[in-house]
Amino acid sequence: MSRRSTTVMAAVALVSALTVLTAPGAAYASPARPAPPSTSDSSRDLEQVRAELDGLYHDAAVATEAYNAAEEKAEKQSGQIVRLAKDIVAGQKKLDRLKSRAGAAARQQYRDGGMPPEAQLMLSDDPSRFLDGADRMRQGQHATKGLLGEMARTQEDLQTYAQDATRNWKKLEAGRKEKARAQKKIKSKIAAAEKLESQLEKKERERLKELEQQAEYKQQTAWLSSGVLKDIKGSASARGKKAVAFATGQLGKPYVWGAEGPGSYDCSGLTSQAWSAAGRPIPRTSQEQWKQLKHIDIKDMRPGDLIIYHDDASHVGMYIGDGAIVHAPRPGRNVTIAGAGSMTILGVVRPDA
């Protein structure tokens, strides 16, 4: 068995043990809980620091998803501009061919002379031959009219393509500005968080990490104590298994905002790439995953489903079973396994519904 598989099993086993120990009415000893926060001023100050850091990293996560959305839009708009450019080139070539044909028709008409048909009939030695020629002339006139109509339609198409390209360029430029604003906000929030953490002594940083774990533990315990897992018995689909295998295969890789692998990920970068690897492309951002994918009741949840967190859908993790998720938490952390209820759940979505 690989070391990574062993790590995944150990982490899930830990969550499973916690599930049993916190189930309502279970006749087991309570698990050894982390030491409760001290009531000293120092601990109260650290709790304030933890809350402030949570806020900063949350704001960074919101800005990251805005950046990802702008990036996704820019890719689509760039693709549309390329397609329109190809349409314009093809349309221009068609218009050149039509103009060439129209010119040839005009030259032929000039060679035939601009003499009125009545005069041509009077001067003709063979009236039947003249009538044949007149019939061909009418056919030519109809063809010329059709040619001119096609030229006009082609010119209209070219004008439409040009207008669409202009609109897409404007959207692309607006997206660049939006992306730049999000990038600036991400960097400022992360910088503020890092500055705040750098001001702490080593013992305070260790204590701060304990407080973070205690807060997660408290939420996970409350979630499990509700008996929620007793109804969750769904089995992963074939694609769900592939998605879970991909996501858990990234354990230990660092969180980097805007990253989609292979060396690092942000939260939605991990889930979108996992499902892409499973053969089911999904939206890039957690907000769009929440908007576009099918919503599932928690009791119907199965491994591979995505749990969306916070009221603004700013975070996402992948359910892997036994009350656990795999996710990319935040800057300064690595892809890890955590309790599915350790954060405020907005809802669950299923990519392969």
Side-chain angles (χ1 to χ4, degrees):
M1 185 179 292
S2 69
R3 180 182 299 177
R4 191 170 298 280
S5 296
T6 304
T7 303
V8 174
M9 289 180 66
V12 175
L14 179 61
V15 176
S16 299
L18 185 59
T19 300
V20 172
L21 292 168
T22 57
Y28 297 96
S30 297
R33 299 172 181 263
S38 165
T39 56
S40 67
D41 290 341
S42 176
S43 288
R44 283 198 295 271
D45 290 344
L46 281 177
E47 184 58 39
Q48 291 172 358
V49 169
R50 186 192 71 78
E52 188 173 347
L53 285 172
D54 280 352
L56 288 168
Y57 282 124
H58 172 266
D59 290 346
V62 172
T64 296
E65 293 303 275
Y67 175 92
N68 291 337
E71 177 74 14
E72 190 174 33
K73 286 179 186 175
E75 288 178 4
K76 289 180 180 177
Q77 284 152 4
S78 295
Q80 288 171 347
I81 288 169
V82 169
R83 287 191 293 274
L84 285 166
K86 290 179 179 177
D87 288 339
I88 288 171
V89 170
Q92 189 60 56
K93 286 181 179 178
K94 180 181 178 181
L95 185 60
D96 291 343
R97 288 194 302 270
L98 292 171
K99 284 181 176 178
S100 178
R101 286 171 55 193
R107 288 191 296 273
Q108 182 62 46
Q109 188 175 13
Y110 176 78
R111 283 194 294 271
D112 291 342
M115 191 179 295
E118 297 84 355
Q120 291 183 38
L121 178 59
M122 289 176 65
L123 296 172
S124 175
D125 295 332
D126 187 348
S128 63
R129 197 165 151 190
F130 164 76
L131 292 173
D132 288 342
D135 185 57
R136 285 196 299 273
M137 184 180 292
R138 280 194 298 273
Q139 291 175 3
Q141 287 173 341
H142 284 306
T144 301
K145 184 181 285 187
L147 185 63
L148 293 174
E150 192 173 358
M151 283 176 61
R153 288 192 296 272
T154 302
Q155 286 175 322
E156 288 174 3
D157 288 344
L158 282 170
Q159 187 175 9
T160 300
Y161 295 152
Q163 290 171 347
D164 288 346
T166 300
R167 280 194 294 269
N168 275 285
W169 273 115
K170 288 179 180 178
K171 288 179 182 178
L172 188 62
E173 184 58 28
R176 285 186 183 134
K177 291 178 181 177
E178 185 180 346
K179 198 164 75 168
R181 286 193 297 270
Q183 185 175 18
K184 184 177 180 181
K185 185 172 183 179
I186 293 165
K187 290 183 175 180
S188 69
K189 295 296 181 180
I190 292 176
E194 289 174 344
K195 181 180 179 181
L196 187 59
E197 288 186 278
S198 70
Q199 295 169 350
L200 301 174
E201 296 178 359
K202 183 180 179 181
K203 286 185 178 179
E204 288 177 316
R205 286 197 296 272
E206 290 173 353
R207 178 63 184 144
L208 181 64
K209 194 169 184 178
E210 287 179 9
L211 290 174
E212 290 175 356
Q213 291 171 344
Q214 285 174 6
E216 292 176 3
Y217 179 93
K218 183 178 180 180
Q219 279 202 260
Q220 174 73 354
T221 301
W223 186 67
L224 294 172
S225 295
S226 68
V228 64
L229 281 192
K230 73 181 188 307
D231 294 323
I232 301 177
K233 298 171 184 175
S235 299
S237 64
R239 281 184 173 174
K241 289 176 182 177
K242 290 180 181 178
V244 169
F246 180 94
T248 54
Q250 313 312 308
L251 287 170
K253 292 183 179 180
Y255 176 106
V256 174
W257 62 267
E260 298 177 84
S264 57
Y265 297 88
D266 62 22
C267 67
S268 57
L270 177 64
T271 54
S272 60
Q273 288 302 304
W275 271 102
S276 180
R280 171 67 170 96
I282 63 174
R284 169 65 175 90
T285 68
S286 56
Q287 285 97 343
E288 289 305 309
Q289 289 169 6
W290 175 243
K291 286 179 185 176
Q292 297 185 34
L293 301 180
K294 184 174 181 179
H295 290 204
I296 299 295
D297 286 340
I298 288 181
K299 64 181 177 61
D300 297 323
M301 191 163 57
R302 68 189 187 193
D305 288 345
L306 306 182
I307 302 182
I308 310 296
Y309 293 96
H310 311 307
D311 289 342
D312 52 10
S314 57
H315 190 70
V316 59
M318 180 180 290
Y319 186 64
I320 58 174
D322 296 320
I325 60 165
V326 57
H327 72 143
R330 66 167 177 80
R333 299 286 187 266
N334 298 330
V335 176
T336 188
I337 290 174
S342 59
M343 295 167 282
T344 303
I345 295 175
L346 176 62
V348 181
V349 295
R350 178 164 295 164
D352 62 338

